[in-house]
Amino acid sequence: MAARGPQTAQQRDRTDQRAEFLLGALASAVLVLIAFMIAFVFAKAWPSFAHNGLDWFGAGGNVDEQLTGIFNSPADPSDYVYTLHAWPLIYGTALITGAAVLLGTLVSLLSAMFIVEFAPGWIRAILQPVVRLLAAVPSVIYGLIGIIVLVPFFGNHVIGPARKESVQYVIQLDGSSILVGTLVLTVMITPIMIAITVDALRSVPRNWTEGAAALGVNRFRALRTVGLRAARPAIVAAAILATARALGEAIMLSMVTGSVAFAPNPLDGVTFFFEPTRTLAAQIVEGAEGLSVKPFGQTMYAFAALLLISSAFLSFGGWLARRSMRKYTLAPR
Amino acid sequence: MTWNRPLAVVAAVAASAALAVPAAATAKPTITMSGSTSVAPLAALLAKKYISVCKGCVSFKLLQGGSDVGISDVASGRVTIGNASRDPKPSDPGGLVFNKIAHDAVCIVTNKSNPLPGIDEAGVQAIFGGSVRSWSSVPGSSASGTIDTFTRSPASGTQDAFQKIFLGSTKVFSGSSQKASNGLVQQSVKADPNGIGYVSLSFSDGLHTVPYKGVACTERNAKSGQYGGQRNLYMVTRGPAKGAARAWIKWITKRSAAAAIVNTEWVSLQ
């Protein structure tokens, strides 16, 4: 642009106004887009929900056989098959996401505390960029490492033949399992949680923790009782973000969890951790080949709708949690 | 201003390129294909040869996505040709023509450490149906312990072919591990001494292919029709193929140069 002389106040006002319009229009466009997307997904998904009612969310039968039935529906729209009991997929999603977020929160809190308070300068200088780099690694790379290294390792060396035989007519333990899925997912979501928690701990005013230290507590205790408490809203935000990423993770989980629509049973003891499952997002990826079969596509949209609702509830829950923590100050974002 | 000149040059170049491209595009038809991941490697090899044979008379655009993606794409006119590795189904959109271009063999594969000498229809159904779960009860097996079965998701063309050719009305064992592609099944069986799965012939490298009903899963046996585990590969068009697409499909099915390429890993019709 050509160099200009100093602007008059009026010109500046006009520029501001233009920027306001432009940004406002963009923001509303995003809102409209989201509204359209939700409406579209629900409209597509409706037949699947309508046919099954509440049974859709229940257990019963074999999901893969039900999906095969839907896929092989006759050509006549009035004969479309929709029967589906999606419980194993819902349960598998909740199980893996929940476990990974719990584990990730624990690990990220401890590492963030280390980075902020205890790490020597040179370690911090290495750790921080590495954590940020890890947060940006595409999930398919984790999936490849999982399927080429971890799954065969667990299948051939960790899970013994006796354990495999004990459940062989129900499920096969080939190494792809909720354990590997949870581990890899934790590695995937932890870096972003660490990054957010570190920033939050840093923004806790120094004199607060120093005040605690002056009262005679050690550094760890001061950080735990004052720093972590003040940073709680940000920690919740980090957990929410991580949960959203975990819920949406498809490719990696499809590769390492065995992709069997099976609901692992905690009563199986240790075997439980080696049992496979399949998450909703993984199911959508795997079903993508059959989208042209109308009832099958609608069923996939039903899975997508459920994921959309979950993430909506997730943000709402996060908002509530942060609101109730407002008294711990450090204005929530 | 000093930086305006290069900008003007770039704009001029862009404008002339924009004018030139449509002119070139009208002179040279483009055949777009999408669909079966089993057909895609074959289509890519054939397209490369076809371009050199006909001296660049057409250009190709090849996408994947699975047989049903190809069929729905061609039905809606998004592509010229939809690749499919399954036979026509009653639920397919009307007005489509399935042009058969080759056969493909589906091989039963095991880990190299467990060279199963042979298997018959009942054996395949028992193993993949889940009624036999231990290698010790499979005759000729050198593995011991639980059988790990690797299958494909219900929507895949290979799964469809396997179900029709080998399983019939037997249902796949519900505990078997489902993989999203031929390559993932190959990788899983390669890494698991107790594994068994099924893949297209071209994905059997590094694995033991189990003879089916006494016939080895090789191109030669598939071509002669002796091998039982075969399926058809199609290029689907909306109505009979026209123009460049017609010449291309005709070249694949009639010319020996094309047959030579098909026969590297698939089985030609000729």
Side-chain angles (χ1 to χ4, degrees):
Chain A
M1 223 182 267
R4 286 194 198 147
Q7 289 178 317
T8 64
Q10 206 182 6
Q11 273 175 328
R12 245 195 326 269
D13 275 355
R14 219 178 299 144
T15 320
D16 278 351
Q17 232 168 28
R18 245 183 300 165
E20 194 184 315
F21 273 130
L22 197 67
L23 297 179
L26 265 179
S28 337
V30 170
L31 281 183
V32 170
L33 204 67
I34 291 175
F36 264 116
M37 196 177 75
I38 292 175
F40 177 78
V41 168
F42 275 85
K44 286 271 192 186
W46 182 245
S48 178
F49 289 125
H51 268 259
N52 292 295
L54 279 180
D55 286 348
W56 196 95
F57 301 93
N62 174 337
V63 172
D64 280 318
E65 275 167 24
Q66 290 158 2
L67 284 174
T68 310
I70 294 170
F71 182 66
N72 292 323
S73 286
D76 185 359
S78 59
D79 293 342
Y80 280 170
V81 179
Y82 282 105
T83 313
L84 179 77
H85 303 290
W87 172 248
L89 303 177
I90 301 170
Y91 171 69
T93 310
L95 192 68
I96 290 190
T97 306
V101 170
L102 275 184
L103 211 60
T105 309
L106 191 71
V107 173
S108 66
L109 285 187
L110 294 177
S111 350
M113 283 162 81
F114 174 73
I115 291 177
V116 169
E117 189 68 31
F118 300 100
W122 64 274
I123 292 190
R124 191 178 309 165
I126 297 172
L127 265 183
Q128 269 194 305
V130 169
V131 164
R132 274 168 211 279
L133 177 77
L134 279 180
V137 174
S139 66
V140 68
I141 293 178
Y142 289 111
L144 280 178
I145 295 173
I147 199 159
I148 290 173
V149 181
L150 287 178
V151 168
F153 174 75
F154 274 86
N156 300 336
H157 302 294
V158 177
I159 309 171
R163 191 181 299 287
K164 288 186 184 185
E165 264 164 42
S166 68
V167 288
Q168 66 182 6
Y169 287 99
V170 185
I171 195 69
Q172 100 189 10
L173 310 177
D174 54 48
S176 42
S177 52
I178 53 174
L179 181 64
V180 177
T182 307
L183 284 181
V184 181
L185 192 59
T186 308
V187 172
M188 257 182 65
I189 60 176
T190 307
I192 187 82
M193 294 177 85
I194 296 181
I196 295 175
T197 315
V198 164
D199 285 347
L201 285 180
R202 282 256 167 76
S203 63
V204 174
R206 196 77 201 163
N207 49 8
W208 291 15
T209 40
E210 275 170 7
L215 290 173
V217 302
N218 59 29
R219 282 200 294 175
F220 180 75
R221 184 112 185 255
L223 194 62
R224 188 169 61 83
T225 50
V226 178
L228 275 192
R229 230 167 245 226
R232 269 201 228 172
I235 294 170
V236 171
I240 299 280
L241 196 68
T243 315
R245 185 160 184 207
L247 267 184
E249 180 46 46
I251 304 280
M252 183 280 285
L253 287 178
S254 155
M255 287 162 96
V256 305
T257 60
S259 206
V260 186
F262 176 76
N265 185 355
L267 297 180
D268 290 349
V270 179
T271 306
F272 166 73
F273 296 103
F274 300 126
E275 285 171 349
T277 190
R278 185 191 298 151
T279 65
L280 288 166
Q283 174 62 65
I284 295 176
V285 168
E286 280 165 37
E289 271 196 85
L291 282 181
S292 70
V293 178
K294 210 168 169 211
F296 193 80
Q298 286 163 334
T299 309
M300 295 300 125
Y301 274 105
F303 296 138
L306 189 61
L307 282 178
L308 263 182
I309 297 183
S310 324
S311 49
F313 270 105
L314 206 62
S315 348
F316 182 65
W319 174 77
L320 274 186
R322 267 175 306 176
R323 223 169 78 107
S324 66
M325 284 176 196
R326 212 171 263 172
K327 58 182 171 211
Y328 299 106
T329 72
L330 266 190
R333 283 174 302 139
Chain B
M1 259 135 270
T2 48
W3 46 263
N4 259 353
R5 194 194 301 270
L7 192 74
V9 173
V10 170
V13 170
S16 55
L19 285 177
V21 167
T26 46
K28 188 169 156 185
T30 300
I31 296 177
T32 50
M33 295 183 278
S34 75
S36 170
T37 51
S38 309
V39 180
L42 172 62
L45 288 176
L46 286 171
K48 204 187 265 175
K49 181 73 179 173
Y50 187 62
I51 289 173
S52 76
V53 166
C54 81
K55 301 185 180 63
C57 61
V58 294
S59 60
F60 286 96
K61 215 181 195 173
L62 178 62
L63 304 161
Q64 303 194 18
S67 299
D68 283 275
V69 171
I71 288 166
S72 78
D73 279 354
V74 73
S76 66
R78 278 193 290 271
V79 295
T80 330
I81 290 172
N83 295 328
S85 57
R86 64 160 173 79
D87 293 334
K89 284 205 305 187
S91 64
D92 286 334
L96 296 181
V97 175
F98 280 66
N99 306 284
K100 197 185 285 181
I101 56 156
H103 300 296
D104 182 20
V106 176
C107 299
I108 310 281
V109 288
T110 57
N111 191 281
K112 283 257 189 208
S113 69
N114 178 25
L116 205 60
I119 197 163
D120 57 5
E121 198 169 358
V124 173
Q125 290 175 359
I127 289 178
F128 284 95
S131 56
V132 167
R133 294 291 297 137
S134 176
W135 279 115
S136 50
S137 39
V138 178
S141 153
S142 59
S144 61
T146 307
I147 300 175
D148 290 337
T149 52
F150 295 98
T151 56
R152 296 285 308 280
S153 33
S156 95
T158 311
Q159 167 66 26
D160 182 73
F162 180 74
Q163 181 79 47
K164 283 216 183 85
I165 301 170
F166 292 92
L167 290 185
S169 59
T170 308
K171 281 178 178 158
V172 175
F173 171 49
S174 65
S176 67
S177 201
Q178 282 185 18
K179 301 292 166 191
S181 69
N182 271 312
L184 283 174
V185 173
Q186 182 184 23
Q187 160 62 29
S188 299
V189 176
K190 210 187 267 183
D192 188 342
N194 283 356
I196 186 166
Y198 50 85
V199 291
S200 284
L201 181 56
S202 47
F203 286 89
S204 60
D205 288 351
L207 301 172
H208 169 70
T209 53
V210 185
Y212 178 62
K213 291 180 183 167
V215 183
C217 181
T218 60
E219 290 153 43
R220 186 205 288 212
N221 288 340
K223 192 170 158 63
S224 70
Q226 275 178 295
Y227 182 70
Q230 282 192 60
R231 61 171 165 167
N232 300 319
L233 302 182
Y234 297 95
M235 287 193 172
V236 185
T237 49
R238 191 159 64 159
K242 290 181 284 285
R246 180 165 173 269
W248 151 245
I249 292 175
K250 203 170 158 193
W251 178 78
I252 296 174
T253 49
K254 296 277 186 284
R255 290 309 170 100
S256 58
I261 292 173
V262 173
N263 282 332
T264 53
E265 293 187 79
W266 299 267
V267 186
S268 80
L269 300 176
Q270 296 165 43

